[in-house]
């Protein structure tokens, strides 16, 4: 059991590393290249992918839990997709489902910083990949 990291303000919750410690944006950028995706402890302690840009991270994070039966979905850099090892579902680089049996795209969260530390907040508006209301609300 890893205790969740402390919550930040404004509905944002700090991201935690494998040990649950906060992660600064500065250290993240130093340790990653453009288009790298790596898991952090996110909302409710669940594993979310942050996506690197050349000098920042994208403004959304992806819950890594497959919408079929809940396996954690690895990122395949070679395929530029998330490929679920359990039953073969695939998601594009933005987490939109492109092959079943998964019925839905990966859940989104907003990325932000709280005093320099990476944080996530709930995504409650339309899913920009499908233009429908989020199923995870
Ligand atoms: Fe991912 Fe079944 S749990 S395809």
């Amino acid at each position: 059991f890893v205790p969740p990291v402390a919550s930040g303000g404004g509905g944002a919750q700090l991201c935690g590393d494998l040990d649950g410690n906060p992660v600064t944006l500065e250290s993240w950028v130093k340790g990653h290249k453009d288009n790298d995706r790596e898991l952090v402890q996110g909302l409710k302690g669940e594993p979310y992918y942050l996506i690197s840009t050349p000098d920042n991270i994208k403004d959304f994070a992806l819950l890594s839990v497959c919408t079929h039966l809940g396996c954690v979905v690895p990122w395949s850099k070679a395929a530029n997709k998330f490929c679920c090892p359990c039953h073969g579902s695939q998601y594009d680089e933005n987490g939109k489902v492109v092959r079943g049996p998964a019925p839905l795209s990966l859940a989104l969260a907003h990325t932000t910083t709280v005093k320099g530390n990476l944080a996530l907040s709930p995504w409650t508006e339309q899913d920009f990949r499908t233009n429908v209301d989020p199923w995870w609300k």
Side-chain angles (χ1 to χ4, degrees), residues 9-131:
Q13 190 181 339
L14 293 184
C15 297
D17 64 14
L18 286 180
D19 299 320
N21 297 313
V23 186
T24 65
L25 176 60
E26 197 183 337
S27 67
W28 180 276
V29 169
K30 273 189 194 147
H32 295 85
K33 295 198 206 62
D34 186 25
N35 208 35
D36 277 355
R37 287 127 203 273
E38 200 179 304
L39 291 171
V40 292
Q41 281 186 49
L43 300 174
K44 300 181 189 157
E46 293 190 289
Y48 280 79
Y49 282 106
L50 302 184
I51 305 170
S52 289
T53 63
D55 56 1
N56 208 318
I57 56 169
K58 289 208 177 184
D59 61 0
F60 64 91
L62 298 170
L63 180 60
S64 65
V65 175
C66 185
T67 62
H68 181 221
L69 291 174
C71 292
V72 170
V73 185
W75 168 245
S76 168
K77 199 169 188 164
N80 207 44
K81 283 181 201 158
F82 295 92
C83 300
C84 186
C86 293
H87 314 97
S89 293
Q90 295 185 356
Y91 304 85
D92 75 6
E93 73 273 19
N94 292 328
K96 182 177 181 177
V97 66
V98 292
R99 187 169 118 183
L104 296 161
S105 298
L106 298 177
L108 297 167
H110 291 286
T111 57
T112 183
T113 55
V114 177
K115 296 185 182 144
N117 291 307
L118 296 172
L120 298 184
S121 62
W123 187 294
T124 57
E125 62 276 22
Q126 268 196 355
D127 182 336
F128 69 90
R129 303 161 302 184
T130 56
N131 296 322

